[in-house]
């Protein structure tokens, strides 16, 4: 190799390295967002209940998924809502809470008739939950199957109208569906930081 060829190779490496490191840095970045229904006053919320309770029968998860993620999410949501001054109740809650984590749909299960409008195959679906609340025409609303895989979505639903009041999400943040509680809690905290309450 001539001296000129060595210099060219060296300069090409210098140019390519920053590009590669930029890809590595940005590929792990997640964006957290929220939308609120018009005239909804989330700061007035005092009590909540889950939209659906965990199923009585153990769920058969697809390969690579574990019930622990569902347990971690529900526990973290409860802790964060309590921190925000909301109390869990069994009757007459101010709001109902639901969550989804978007996942790729296995070909054999990709049947639209299985899912309510606006929903799709997701971690909550695998956990035995199926939500059928409306989106109330929220600006910026997207169906679950339109989010990047691994997006954590937390919804608050009006128990009287069965319409979405508030949605927060962190795009593509759940890269490991066997994530431990601390990781999951951090993601839930990031989403619920967007929720405005009186506390």
């Amino acid at each position: 190799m001539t001296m000129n060829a060595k210099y060219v190779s060296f300069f090409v490496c210098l140019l390519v390295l920053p590009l590669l490191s930029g890809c590595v840095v940005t590929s792990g970045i997640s964006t957290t967002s929220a939308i609120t229904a018009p005239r909804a006053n989330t700061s007035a919320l005092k009590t909540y209940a889950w939209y659906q309770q965990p199923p009585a029968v153990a769920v058969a998860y697809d390969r690579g998924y574990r019930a622990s993620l569902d347990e971690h999410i529900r526990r973290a949501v409860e802790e964060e809502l309590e921190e925000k001054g909301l109390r869990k109740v069994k009757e007459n809650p101010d709001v109902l809470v639901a969550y989804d984590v978007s996942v790729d749909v296995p070909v054999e299960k990709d049947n639209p008739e299985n899912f309510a409008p606006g929903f799709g195959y997701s971690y909550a679906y695998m956990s035995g939950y199926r939500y059928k609340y409306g989106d109330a025409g929220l600006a910026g609303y997207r169906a679950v199957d339109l989010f990047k895989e691994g997006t954590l979505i937390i919804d608050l639903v009006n128990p009287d109208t069965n319409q979405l009041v508030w949605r927060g999400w962190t795009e593509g943040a759940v890269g490991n569906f066997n994530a431990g509680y601390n990781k999951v809690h951090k993601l839930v905290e990031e989403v619920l930081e967007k929720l405005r309450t009186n506390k």
Side-chain angles (χ1 to χ4, degrees):
M1 186 181 280
T2 68
M3 190 62 88
N4 284 343
K6 286 181 181 177
Y7 281 125
V8 169
S9 297
F10 176 74
F11 284 117
V12 167
C13 287
L14 283 179
L15 290 172
V16 170
L17 279 175
L19 293 174
L20 289 176
S21 64
C23 293
V24 171
V25 170
T26 57
S27 65
I29 291 175
S30 60
T31 304
T32 304
S33 306
I35 51 176
T36 306
R39 296 180 297 282
N41 182 11
T42 58
S43 62
L45 300 174
K46 302 294 181 195
T47 61
Y48 76 94
W50 285 98
Y51 191 86
Q52 277 184 312
Q53 292 304 316
V57 180
V59 178
Y61 283 87
D62 287 344
R63 186 179 299 242
Y65 301 95
R66 300 282 181 274
S68 60
L69 181 62
D70 173 61
E71 294 161 7
H72 293 337
I73 290 172
R74 291 171 69 89
R75 176 181 157 199
V77 166
E78 290 184 1
E79 288 179 3
E80 285 302 307
L81 288 179
E82 184 179 336
E83 183 77 22
K84 286 184 163 289
L86 277 78
R87 184 171 46 89
K88 185 180 177 183
V89 295
K90 292 185 178 177
E91 295 181 350
N92 302 316
D94 294 335
V95 73
L96 297 171
V97 182
Y99 86 85
D100 267 298
V101 177
S102 56
V103 299
D104 280 341
V105 186
V107 174
E108 68 277 8
K109 296 184 180 181
D110 190 11
N111 301 313
E113 63 271 14
N114 291 342
F115 315 118
F119 299 92
Y121 193 79
S122 67
Y123 214 97
Y125 180 83
M126 280 191 286
S127 298
Y129 313 116
R130 200 61 329 234
Y131 313 126
K132 296 185 179 175
Y133 43 88
D135 61 65
L138 264 74
Y141 174 84
R142 279 185 279 164
V144 169
D145 59 353
L146 296 181
F147 284 94
K148 177 194 305 188
E149 182 178 18
T151 299
L152 170 64
I153 305 162
I154 299 174
D155 288 341
L156 301 185
V157 181
N158 185 318
D160 299 322
T161 64
N162 201 41
Q163 295 293 308
L164 199 56
V165 171
W166 180 91
R167 165 173 281 183
W169 68 93
T170 184
E171 193 93 25
V174 185
N176 174 9
F177 291 102
N178 297 320
Y181 178 71
N182 289 339
K183 168 69 172 172
V184 171
H185 186 274
K186 185 175 184 304
L187 297 176
V188 168
E189 183 180 26
E190 286 174 11
V191 174
L192 289 178
E193 273 180 6
K194 300 280 186 183
L195 177 64
R196 299 291 164 246
T197 62
N198 251 342
K199 190 160 183 181

